[in-house]
Amino acid sequence: MLDVTDSQKPQSSAFQDSAQFVQKVRERIAHVVVGQDVVVERMLIALFTGGHLLLQGVPGLAKTLLVSALSRAIALDFARVQFTIDLLPSDILGSEILDARAGEFRTVKGPIFTNLLLADEINRAAPKVQSALLEAMQERKVTIGKETHRLPTPFLVIATQNPVEQAGTFELPEAQLDRFMLCHRLEYPTPDQEFEVLRRNLALGVQREDRGATARTEFDAIGGSAVGTVEDLVRCMEAVSTVHTSEAVLRHVVEVVNLTRRHPAIELGASPRAGIALVKSSRARALVRGRGYVVPEDLFALAQDVLLHRIRLSYEALADGRTAAGVLNEILTDLGAPAAAA
């Protein structure tokens, strides 16, 4: 086990304020979305570290609702793009348009100029569109024509992907997958949670509009004022940078990443960016959990979300029926992880 006794220090008031802010955000989202606590935690981790998040799950698991609720809870500028086969890079980034009256080109910025961009079903867009996101995701800037524009801060991409339906989709290349700090796989709610979903849905009722009415949805229930501002978010980002990470933690991360490169069943191991992502996300998880230091549980809980989309099994391993998740679990178990890290 890692030694964290040297990090058991009194927490500053700024750190405590950040922990309270996190709790308020989680409570606000819980008013709209039932369960999915782990997904909310992953979204907060991505926000506090400036990383990007890929959510994989079948339709109907409230992925879009979660992102919308998060943006409203922190008063972030929010934009959603539904990725389709006929989408063009200019539909996301923007373009130069000739102003006939002025006789010159002017730049019309696309929806990517926002704080929180939801890329719905990202794998349905052509590779040219997916590659247009690389510069924005990595360097936080966009080139339109001959000009380069900085994106707003903070800037975060949360993409969704249906792992079941593959017709009319394009597999994300490794270069783009590596830009996502976390890739979280959503699960179905428990029976009790699903019962609560149905109970809340029954109580939504209808909403009058002009002389007609429409059935209210969960999106109509998001309402209410934000529980925080961008400044609160910035303070949380600063608090994450103060979370203690011992050298033992860093060595543990290096060992995990290197084992993915040496394992005989893995053809493509994790890159150094994976190690950086594991450390940064572990610090953010510690803050979300109200701690000022990283513990082994943080590493093990986030290992799948950080590493699984960054490794590729060999042909022989696939032919033997092995899975990337199973191989990674073997590695983590050998390092002392619990049987099921959440």
Side-chain angles (χ1 to χ4, degrees):
M1 293 292 272
L2 305 182
D3 182 16
V4 295
T5 55
D6 59 338
S7 59
Q8 311 269 355
K9 301 176 182 178
Q11 298 174 352
S12 65
S13 59
F15 183 90
Q16 293 174 353
D17 291 342
S18 297
Q20 292 175 2
F21 169 69
V22 168
Q23 186 59 30
K24 290 179 181 179
V25 172
R26 301 191 74 158
E27 290 175 354
R28 171 56 60 85
I29 296 176
H31 284 305
V32 182
V33 182
V34 179
Q36 303 293 11
D37 294 334
V38 177
V39 188
V40 175
E41 179 182 84
R42 299 304 191 260
M43 291 195 302
L44 290 173
I45 288 172
L47 264 180
F48 297 162
T49 57
H52 304 292
L53 173 63
L54 178 61
L55 297 177
Q56 290 185 346
V58 297
L61 295 183
K63 298 185 291 294
T64 304
L65 182 63
L66 278 164
V67 181
S68 300
L70 176 64
S71 67
R72 295 286 290 274
I74 314 181
L76 297 172
D77 289 336
F78 172 67
R80 174 189 177 189
V81 178
Q82 185 68 45
F83 279 55
T84 58
I85 184 63
D86 58 348
L87 199 70
L88 299 175
S90 59
D91 295 329
I92 304 173
L93 308 181
S95 60
E96 288 184 325
I97 296 178
L98 177 62
D99 189 334
R101 292 185 177 180
E104 60 184 18
F105 284 94
R106 61 184 178 87
T107 300
V108 177
K109 295 182 178 180
I112 199 169
F113 288 88
T114 187
N115 297 131
L116 181 54
L117 177 68
L118 174 59
D120 239 341
E121 296 189 279
I122 189 173
N123 57 327
R124 289 199 173 277
K128 187 174 183 179
V129 177
Q130 295 177 9
S131 63
L133 289 175
L134 288 178
E135 181 185 23
M137 293 174 66
Q138 183 63 26
E139 302 178 32
R140 266 67 174 182
K141 63 182 181 180
V142 168
T143 301
I144 302 176
K146 296 181 180 180
E147 295 186 11
T148 299
H149 305 269
R150 300 293 301 181
L151 291 171
T153 54
F155 172 72
L156 174 68
V157 174
I158 298 183
T160 67
Q161 186 175 351
N162 180 358
V164 178
E165 187 179 12
Q166 299 301 321
T169 64
F170 299 86
E171 185 177 358
L172 296 181
E174 278 75 11
Q176 183 155 8
L177 281 174
D178 201 36
R179 294 303 193 277
F180 287 100
M181 185 179 74
L182 300 172
C183 176
H184 184 71
R185 296 144 192 90
L186 282 77
E187 298 179 352
Y188 287 112
T190 65
D192 289 340
Q193 291 172 345
E194 195 157 5
F195 177 85
E196 179 64 16
V197 170
L198 298 179
R199 191 189 67 80
R200 291 189 185 185
N201 186 269
L202 287 174
L204 288 175
V206 297
Q207 178 176 312
R208 288 182 173 272
E209 293 183 1
D210 297 327
R211 289 184 292 179
T214 58
R216 283 170 51 86
T217 67
E218 285 75 12
F219 287 91
D220 297 314
I222 291 179
S225 58
V227 298
T229 64
V230 173
E231 182 59 34
D232 295 314
L233 174 58
V234 171
R235 281 196 288 267
C236 283
M237 297 173 73
E238 293 173 341
V240 168
S241 66
T242 67
V243 173
H244 179 78
T245 310
S246 67
E247 289 189 3
V249 168
L250 299 182
R251 293 192 188 97
H252 218 59
V253 171
V254 171
E255 185 177 7
V256 172
V257 172
N258 273 272
L259 283 175
T260 66
R261 301 169 188 166
R262 299 198 304 264
H263 198 285
I266 298 178
E267 182 180 65
L268 175 65
S271 68
R273 187 182 284 130
I276 295 173
L278 188 54
V279 172
K280 292 172 66 175
S281 58
S282 294
R283 299 178 85 182
R285 186 179 187 269
L287 175 72
V288 171
R289 299 276 172 137
R291 281 184 279 103
Y293 52 92
V294 176
V295 296
E297 179 193 351
D298 297 319
L299 302 181
F300 293 137
L302 291 164
Q304 276 208 359
D305 287 1
V306 173
L307 299 174
L308 199 54
H309 64 291
R310 290 182 162 99
I311 63 177
R312 290 290 181 273
L313 295 189
S314 65
Y315 176 80
E316 293 77 11
L318 291 172
D320 290 338
R322 307 192 70 178
T323 64
V327 173
L328 182 58
N329 281 334
E330 292 176 10
I331 293 175
L332 296 176
T333 301
D334 290 342
L335 291 174

